[in-house]
């Protein structure tokens, strides 16, 4: 007699970390622009996030997730004054969670209403909007050293 083991069918994703990348940035005084080498790391994180999401069958959420990664990493590079940034993408309870940790406590990680002529200042408002559209949430932890965003995933 032959026996067959039946395993539960898994969806295209399982809970756990998808990506954890840490990179150094040049510590600068407030108001000084980051060097181009630091800015290039935003594109690297965008590409890694898209690759990891696509590899796990989550390409349908990649556009929104990559935009959020871009905004949060840019904020960390431009505003933290720190020396290191860690980007984590993880899955849990039907959500994709994006964490960007810069190690520097801050109480300024809240969206502001920029004037029409402002060239920047819309990033966190965009993250908030994408989180709301994706039936998710966003916020800060570690006294502002980590900014996160959660997006609901489609049912598998």
């Amino acid at each position: 007699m032959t026996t067959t083991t039946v395993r539960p069918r898994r969806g295209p994703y399982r809970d756990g970390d998808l990506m954890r990348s840490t990179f150094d940035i040049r510590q600068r005084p407030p108001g000084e622009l980051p060097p181009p080498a630091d800015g290039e790391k935003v594109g690297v994180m965008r590409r890694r996030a898209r690759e990891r999401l696509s590899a796990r069958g989550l390409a349908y959420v990649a556009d929104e997730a990559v935009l959020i990664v871009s905004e949060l990493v840019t904020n960390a590079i431009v505003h933290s004054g720190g020396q290191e940034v860690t980007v984590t993408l993880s899955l849990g309870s039907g959500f994709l969670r994006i964490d960007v940790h810069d190690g520097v406590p801050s109480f300024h990680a809240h969206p502001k209403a920029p004037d029409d002529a402002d060239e920047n200042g819309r990033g966190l408002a965009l993250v908030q909007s994408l989180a709301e559209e994706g039936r998710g949430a966003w916020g800060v932890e570690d006294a502002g050293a980590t900014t996160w965003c959660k997006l609901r995933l489609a049912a598998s």
Side-chain angles (χ1 to χ4, degrees):
M1 171 182 256
T2 304
T3 59
T4 304
T5 303
V6 177
R7 290 181 286 187
R9 184 175 182 272
R10 293 184 176 163
Y13 58 85
R14 295 179 306 217
D15 288 357
D17 282 352
L18 286 177
M19 178 180 113
R20 184 173 183 86
S21 295
T22 299
F23 58 91
D24 294 333
I25 57 174
R26 198 181 107 224
Q27 190 171 25
R28 306 169 280 103
E32 183 179 310
L33 292 176
D38 286 352
E40 292 169 3
K41 293 171 183 170
V42 176
V44 172
M45 291 300 106
R46 289 171 56 98
R47 285 188 295 281
R48 283 187 187 168
R50 185 174 297 282
E51 289 167 1
R52 297 292 171 91
L53 290 166
S54 295
R56 292 290 293 268
L58 296 166
Y60 67 91
V61 74
D63 287 343
E64 292 87 357
V66 164
L67 183 54
I68 291 166
V69 166
S70 181
E71 294 299 333
L72 297 183
V73 170
T74 298
N75 276 359
I77 290 171
V78 172
H79 300 295
S80 75
Q83 297 178 313
E84 184 177 86
V85 176
T86 300
V87 180
T88 306
L89 274 61
S90 57
L91 301 172
S93 303
F95 286 90
L96 167 67
R97 181 173 166 128
I98 301 161
D99 288 88
V100 176
H101 178 78
D102 59 36
V104 180
S106 169
F107 298 100
H108 303 290
H110 299 286
K112 63 178 187 173
D115 293 330
D116 289 341
D118 288 346
E119 292 183 17
N120 42 27
R122 293 171 177 78
L124 289 179
L126 181 59
V127 169
Q128 180 179 20
S129 177
L130 288 168
E132 290 171 356
E133 286 176 16
R135 297 180 321 274
W138 82 279
V140 295
E141 293 177 350
D142 306 324
T146 301
T147 305
W148 59 268
C149 184
K150 288 176 24 175
L151 299 173
R152 181 173 298 283
L153 299 173
S156 57

